[in-house]
Amino acid sequence: MYIVLLGAPGSGKGTAGKVIAEDLNLAHISTGDLFRENLKNETPLGLEAKQYMDKGELVPDDVTIRMLKSRLGESDVVNGAVLDGFPRTGVQAKSLDVMLNEMGAKVDMALNIDVPFDEIVERIANRRSCRGCSEIYNVVFNPPKQEGICDKCGGELYQREDQKPEVVQNRLEVYKNSSAELINYYDAKHVLRTEKAGDKAGRTSYDVAEKIEKEIKNGWN
Ligand SMILES: [Zn+2]
């Protein structure tokens, strides 16, 4: 079975994906990890990607697609996989369908974890990082003993540029625009599954993962 994860940055889809993959014995494939591994192991595809990255250019779709194709051929993908970070566009979604079709498989579910944007902005804006040791705090749920000072090393706590509300809001708008195409694509294929999460919904992305797992276990056996 193949599950594609959709959801905004900060929605907790990464956590949900890992839980689902582990419990259902599926490979967990995140494009971020895929790039890091190919670069670290200096594979031909990693070296190809590096040429673009060194020039500050985006890695072309076909390089990413070939990396994924090679990853899908590895031995831990016997039962299928949870894909996090791919596809990002309609074109990528179509290539994924072609790839899976060649393997006699298909996307069985596109799980869209839907957290209200205002909750995501607040969640991320509450984070503080230590300049000394990079420890991360949350000013509401996990505050330091003394405001602005790291418990571990006494370093100064600060808000990273990419955690500022206006920056997060911007990123979420970009996500909204780019994800609409994918949501429509999978909806038309009748595999889209939207689950609300967050404070208002009263459940976390972890709860969503457990619910989906249970349904799959009941329905697939
Ligand atoms: Zn520190």
Side-chain angles (χ1 to χ4, degrees):
M1 129 166 257
Y2 288 83
I3 300 175
V4 163
L5 288 176
L6 303 174
S11 64
K13 72 173 167 133
T15 311
K18 276 182 198 142
V19 172
I20 293 173
E22 200 174 309
D23 292 353
L24 295 177
N25 204 15
L26 303 171
H28 179 262
I29 303 176
S30 99
T31 21
D33 291 344
L34 202 56
F35 270 99
R36 275 187 288 277
E37 276 161 30
N38 275 282
L39 288 171
K40 197 183 77 191
N41 299 329
E42 300 186 334
T43 65
L45 284 169
L47 294 172
E48 205 177 324
K50 195 172 177 293
Q51 291 180 352
Y52 294 97
M53 293 160 90
D54 285 348
K55 282 186 277 182
E57 289 171 14
L58 279 177
V59 177
D61 260 6
D62 77 287
V63 177
T64 313
I65 288 165
R66 278 183 287 147
M67 265 185 203
L68 182 64
K69 196 167 185 173
S70 142
R71 178 68 185 84
L72 287 174
E74 283 175 31
S75 58
D76 64 329
V77 193
V78 221
N79 297 318
V82 175
L83 299 179
D84 185 356
F86 192 95
R88 278 192 200 282
T89 62
V91 172
Q92 290 187 349
K94 283 187 192 116
S95 336
L96 178 63
D97 283 348
V98 172
M99 244 185 270
L100 292 178
N101 191 33
E102 282 169 5
M103 298 163 65
K106 62 181 171 57
V107 172
D108 298 283
M109 183 189 289
L111 176 60
N112 177 27
I113 299 186
D114 184 14
V115 180
F117 284 0
D118 56 344
E119 287 187 30
I120 295 180
V121 172
E122 194 185 325
R123 202 187 283 178
I124 296 177
N126 285 337
R127 283 185 202 153
R128 295 292 179 276
S129 310
C130 172
R131 286 194 196 279
C133 68
S134 305
E135 181 78 2
I136 293 167
Y137 295 85
N138 180 302
V139 292
V140 179
F141 300 112
N142 173 33
K145 289 194 186 79
Q146 199 182 336
E147 197 188 321
I149 310 249
C150 176
D151 291 347
K152 284 198 168 165
C153 76
E156 183 200 353
L157 301 185
Y158 75 110
Q159 185 173 43
R160 271 177 19 202
E161 198 54 42
D162 62 352
Q163 294 170 341
K164 294 194 168 146
E166 58 277 17
V167 178
V168 177
Q169 189 70 48
N170 223 330
R171 200 161 65 219
L172 290 172
E173 290 305 322
V174 171
Y175 165 77
K176 193 171 156 187
N177 292 332
S178 63
S179 65
E181 192 186 4
L182 286 179
I183 287 173
N184 292 335
Y185 183 85
Y186 287 117
D187 194 20
K189 290 190 175 285
H190 308 291
V191 292
L192 179 69
R193 175 66 178 270
T194 298
E195 290 286 340
K196 290 194 183 305
D199 294 338
K200 267 177 235 131
R203 54 186 187 153
T204 63
S205 63
Y206 186 89
D207 298 330
V208 169
E210 285 198 317
K211 181 187 171 201
I212 295 291
E213 261 173 53
K214 247 182 226 160
E215 282 179 28
I216 291 172
K217 279 181 186 159
N218 289 336
W220 249 261
N221 291 328

